[in-house]
Amino acid sequence: QLQASGGGLVQAGGSLTLSCAISGFTFDDYAIGWFRQAPGKERKGVSCIKDPIGSTVYAESVKGRFTISRDNAKNMMYLQMNNLKPEDAAVYYCAQTLGGMCSKNATIYDYWGQGTQLTVSS
């Protein structure tokens, strides 16, 4: 089970950290990531972190602004978002794949959180 939280309303240029609590299986065996979906648009990969070495990948649109991290001891994943832009506004989902490899393809992810809304005002 995954549960995302931390969304809210932020001004452009501001920062926010999303959290994802993971339970029900061994945390450090799989790849976990963040996706986002804006109204009327498809769900897109934002970032992913691959266990166990913790390698990360980012969408080009968020590189240098977002940082993904995890805390294995707490079974938590985070997405630190800086310099937010109006185009970052979306529902953000955390997801986990049993395959262990990061991918932009949402269909390979096996478990999803419920989503948390990020609104960015200009």
Side-chain angles (χ1 to χ4, degrees):
Q1 182 179 1
L2 288 77
Q3 185 166 1
S5 62
L9 173 62
V10 181
Q11 285 190 331
S15 298
L16 197 68
T17 299
L18 304 181
S19 300
C20 179
I22 303 173
S23 62
F25 36 74
T26 305
F27 180 78
D28 57 355
D29 291 343
Y30 312 111
I32 48 177
W34 291 96
F35 284 76
R36 67 186 182 187
Q37 188 168 21
K41 296 187 177 181
E42 64 179 359
R43 192 170 297 189
K44 291 187 176 180
V46 175
S47 184
C48 180
I49 185 165
K50 179 181 180 301
D51 298 309
I53 61 175
S55 60
T56 58
V57 294
Y58 295 93
E60 285 297 322
S61 59
V62 306
K63 278 183 179 179
R65 300 187 298 121
F66 290 12
T67 303
I68 190 171
S69 63
R70 72 177 195 268
D71 185 332
N72 287 359
K74 296 182 179 179
N75 279 4
M76 294 291 295
M77 176 178 65
Y78 305 98
L79 187 67
Q80 172 67 43
M81 304 181 292
N82 298 323
N83 190 22
L84 284 163
K85 304 176 181 180
E87 53 263 40
D88 293 319
V91 177
Y92 282 71
Y93 300 88
C94 54
Q96 182 166 3
T97 172
L98 298 178
M101 297 298 295
C102 288
S103 173
K104 299 178 182 179
N105 182 0
T107 62
I108 75 160
Y109 288 80
D110 302 286
Y111 300 96
W112 290 84
Q114 82 286 5
T116 186
Q117 175 74 52
L118 171 66
T119 303
V120 183
S121 63
S122 56

